[in-house]
């Protein structure tokens, strides 16, 4: 079975739920995160031992990911 590599854009409240769900799937891997608020990205990065980015363009250029979850505020 191949594994889909995920990147999250936005490390706010809903991001933890997405990460938990991804860790529950055998065919999914959380590969990296991005947030314009650096402290959020760093915290997530340390918790899951994955790379973090402040700019999603950099993340998309440098990381080999299959899926991006965009978790930005809707309001």
């Amino acid at each position: 079975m191949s594994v889909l590599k995920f990147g999250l854009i936005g490390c706010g409240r809903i991001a933890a739920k997405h990460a938990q769900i991804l860790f529950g799937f055998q065919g999914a891997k959380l590969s990296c995160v991005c947030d314009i608020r650096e402290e959020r990205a760093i915290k997530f990065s340390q918790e899951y031992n994955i790379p973090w980015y402040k700019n999603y363009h950099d993340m998309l250029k440098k990381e080999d990911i299959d899926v991006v979850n965009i978790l930005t505020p809707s309001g």
Side-chain angles (χ1 to χ4, degrees), residues 6-12 14-15 30 32-36 53-57 59-60 65 67-73:
F6 285 75
L8 302 183
I9 297 176
C11 296
I14 198 67
L30 180 56
C32 55
V33 294
C34 177
D35 199 294
I36 58 173
Y53 296 88
K54 190 172 179 179
N55 182 310
Y56 76 92
H57 293 285
M59 181 181 84
L60 296 174
I65 51 180
V67 182
V68 174
N69 292 14
I70 301 173
L71 310 173
T72 56

Side-chain angles (χ1 to χ4, degrees), residues 26-59:
Q26 200 171 29
K29 176 186 177 191
L30 180 56
S31 296
C32 55
V33 294
C34 177
D35 199 294
I36 58 173
R37 294 175 66 185
E38 194 172 293
E39 66 279 0
R40 284 185 179 180
I42 291 170
K43 181 180 175 188
F44 228 86
S45 169
Q46 291 172 343
E47 184 173 343
Y48 294 99
N49 196 30
I50 54 175
W52 66 273
Y53 296 88
K54 190 172 179 179
N55 182 310
Y56 76 92
H57 293 285
D58 293 337
M59 181 181 84

